[in-house]
Amino acid sequence: MYDITTVREDFPILSRQIYNRPLVYLDNGATTQKPRCVVEAMVDEYYNVNANVHRGVHFLSQQATDLHEASRETVRAFINARSVNEVLFTRGTTESINLLAFSFGEAFVHEGDEIVVSTMEHHSDIVPWQMLCQRKGAKLRVIPMSDDGVLDLEAYSSLLNERTRIVCCAHVSNVLGTVNPVGEVIARAHTMNIPVLIDGAQSTPHFAVDMQALDCDFFAFSGHKIYGPTGVGVLYGKEDWLDRLPPYQGGGEMIKNVSFENTTYNTLPYKFEAGTPDYVATHALAKALDYVTALGMDNIFRHEQELTRYAMTQMSRIDGMRIFGPSDNHDAVISFLVGDIHHLDMGTLLDRLGIAVRTGHHCAEPLMRRLGIEGTVRASFGLYNTLEEVDALVEGIERVVKMF
Ligand code: PMP
């Protein structure tokens, strides 16, 4: 059903040697490798179709536009949004959140208002809100968490009040692997008519997401973390919210009519898509979504859960091992430290064994402060990783431990 050997053949980079050892790529939380179908779609479009979208009457422009808009429909179906009007193409999660923070902030945030974020947010779901707070004289409130990285929902409820304008929460922590109870987060905010943004950068690649079931108001994710190209991402927003938000950037495409006296804006989704979009990347993103859909998001989830559970069991046998995050509801991201070995030393020595992991604060400095550490080593799995690669990681860690 899920033939890992065949799957790996779709990713040419996985057969590379690093320092004369087979590459063990465990930095999927940062970015994923690309299957042939994604790269080939890009090459094919540049060689055979390329023309600017939405503007030309000529054949190629029509064809490029059709591919670009068909990709929007692929994204809509993938996240089960109600309409393509709810799917905005951006450069990635970061731009999606900046768009929302600016636009939502312009319309709905005033002095004395409050924005709620969680302790475990990525900087890209903190800083845009902080910048908004500075512009508007609003205040950032933070949902606390337990030592093992579980959000305190009671404390969360007590943060919500009539000044709360929006709640912003990661679906899955890029550091701890915590799968947050976003259904509960959303439901509690909605009882007070507060909209919720879910940062789906680390959930979308690992399990099926459904906008209508989740009922979030906004959702952001990046193409490159789900086997698609860099430079493209998505902001989903409920249509009635997006209709009420002002544009983020001005320029071509986002207008209906322009005069020096008065400019009117385009309809959704174009109101938020000023300038030439990366239409080659949107097409390739659709190919990536088709690819994971054909494998089956449930199969991918099961496979990565097996890797995660196996890795956590094997790693916890190592003396001095400290794994961060909860033991349940833990997605395919494992952050760890061993004894007093510095995360950078561990990462550098693993690299010499061909094992690519990430080290540092993972763009989550407030979370590091909460945990009382400077950084971690992070191994994150993708759909093509194997149990043998987990063994290589565990053996690698043991070798590094012996060296110290
Ligand atoms: N949020 C989370 C949870 C992430 O893991 C990341 C990427 N590490 C981002 C946001 C930012 O994504 P991007 O750099 O693709 O904009």
Side-chain angles (χ1 to χ4, degrees):
M1 195 170 62
Y2 192 84
D3 180 358
I4 194 73
T5 311
T6 320
V7 167
R8 288 178 69 84
E9 283 166 6
D10 294 333
F11 295 82
I13 204 171
L14 296 180
S15 53
R16 263 201 76 169
Q17 303 274 310
I18 306 287
Y19 306 117
N20 292 321
R21 287 166 174 275
L23 165 68
V24 176
Y25 185 77
L26 300 178
D27 195 16
N28 295 285
T31 200
T32 51
Q33 302 303 343
K34 317 306 171 199
R36 281 177 209 282
C37 61
V38 166
V39 180
E40 283 165 4
M42 299 182 85
V43 172
D44 181 58
E45 187 160 4
Y46 276 127
Y47 279 170
N48 297 308
V49 182
N50 184 50
N52 207 333
V53 292
H54 296 141
R55 289 165 204 189
V57 290
H58 62 82
F59 186 90
L60 289 184
S61 177
Q62 288 296 336
Q63 203 175 0
T65 304
D66 290 348
L67 289 175
H68 179 63
E69 290 306 325
S71 306
R72 200 187 302 277
E73 167 55 26
T74 302
V75 173
R76 185 210 63 74
F78 187 75
I79 62 174
N80 195 29
R82 278 183 192 81
S83 156
V84 284
N85 293 344
E86 300 181 322
V87 176
L88 311 183
F89 284 123
T90 64
R91 285 193 301 118
T93 307
T94 302
E95 191 178 56
S96 295
I97 299 175
N98 275 276
L99 185 167
L100 184 65
F102 179 84
S103 179
F104 185 89
E106 280 300 288
F108 294 108
V109 179
H110 302 100
E111 194 172 344
D113 286 346
E114 296 180 359
I115 312 277
V116 172
V117 299
S118 93
T119 306
M120 64 180 85
E121 295 313 300
H122 188 279
H123 292 164
S124 65
D125 203 23
I126 299 173
V127 184
W129 300 112
Q130 256 174 346
M131 290 161 69
L132 164 63
C133 286
Q134 278 163 11
R135 278 199 308 277
K136 293 288 187 138
K139 209 168 141 195
L140 206 62
R141 307 292 305 271
V142 183
I143 312 168
M145 64 170 215
S146 65
D147 290 342
D148 60 350
V150 176
L151 291 183
D152 181 340
L153 287 182
E154 292 324 302
Y156 165 59
S157 287
S158 66
L159 284 178
L160 301 177
N161 63 62
E162 68 286 350
R163 288 182 306 275
T164 314
R165 288 295 157 262
I166 190 167
V167 172
C168 311
C169 182
H171 203 169
V172 171
S173 159
N174 66 311
V175 179
L176 303 167
T178 312
V179 183
N180 283 319
V182 289
E184 196 58 36
V185 169
I186 294 161
R188 290 188 190 196
H190 282 180
T191 61
M192 301 179 70
N193 293 321
I194 301 164
V196 179
L197 160 73
I198 299 299
D199 173 352
Q202 297 292 344
S203 59
T204 324
H206 302 295
F207 52 84
V209 296
D210 180 326
M211 294 306 108
Q212 296 184 58
L214 267 180
D215 197 32
C216 55
D217 303 275
F218 305 100
F219 187 94
F221 70 96
S222 297
H224 70 98
K225 291 183 198 283
I226 184 162
Y227 312 98
T230 45
V232 66
V234 170
L235 177 65
Y236 158 86
K238 281 183 182 166
E239 195 161 352
D240 55 348
W241 269 116
L242 294 180
D243 267 334
R244 291 152 68 199
L245 298 185
Y248 171 49
Q249 295 180 327
E253 205 58 51
M254 53 75 71
I255 50 88
K256 192 173 277 161
N257 292 107
V258 179
S259 74
F260 287 118
E261 293 72 36
N262 183 37
T263 289
T264 52
Y265 303 130
N266 208 336
T267 50
L268 290 175
Y270 310 110
K271 182 173 84 172
F272 292 101
E273 295 182 351
T276 300
D278 193 340
Y279 50 84
V280 175
T282 56
H283 172 48
L285 171 61
K287 290 288 174 190
L289 299 183
D290 287 343
Y291 180 81
V292 293
T293 301
L295 283 180
M297 286 309 295
D298 290 346
N299 293 332
I300 292 170
F301 178 70
R302 258 195 304 276
H303 174 71
E304 293 178 350
Q305 279 296 303
E306 186 189 1
L307 294 175
T308 307
R309 276 196 300 272
Y310 180 65
M312 282 172 62
T313 307
Q314 298 302 103
M315 287 166 68
S316 53
R317 296 201 174 115
I318 298 170
D319 244 12
M321 173 61 71
R322 196 174 157 204
I323 294 175
F324 297 89
S327 41
D328 297 328
N329 292 325
H330 196 120
D331 206 56
V333 174
I334 304 180
S335 264
F336 65 95
L337 289 171
V338 189
D340 54 9
I341 302 173
H342 195 273
H343 51 85
L344 198 55
D345 291 334
M346 177 65 80
T348 308
L349 292 166
L350 287 175
D351 177 55
R352 299 305 294 194
L353 302 171
I355 303 168
V357 293
R358 183 138 295 233
T359 65
H361 56 59
H362 315 293
C363 298
E365 286 188 20
L367 172 59
M368 294 297 123
R369 216 156 287 132
R370 165 65 182 82
L371 295 169
I373 56 177
E374 259 181 43
T376 70
V377 188
R378 183 186 75 179
S380 50
F381 304 116
L383 58 82
Y384 37 59
N385 289 122
T386 63
L387 293 169
E388 292 72 31
E389 289 181 312
V390 173
D391 288 335
L393 170 68
V394 172
E395 280 162 31
I397 298 169
E398 282 168 339
R399 268 181 77 164
V400 175
V401 171
K402 275 202 195 98
M403 288 170 70
F404 278 80

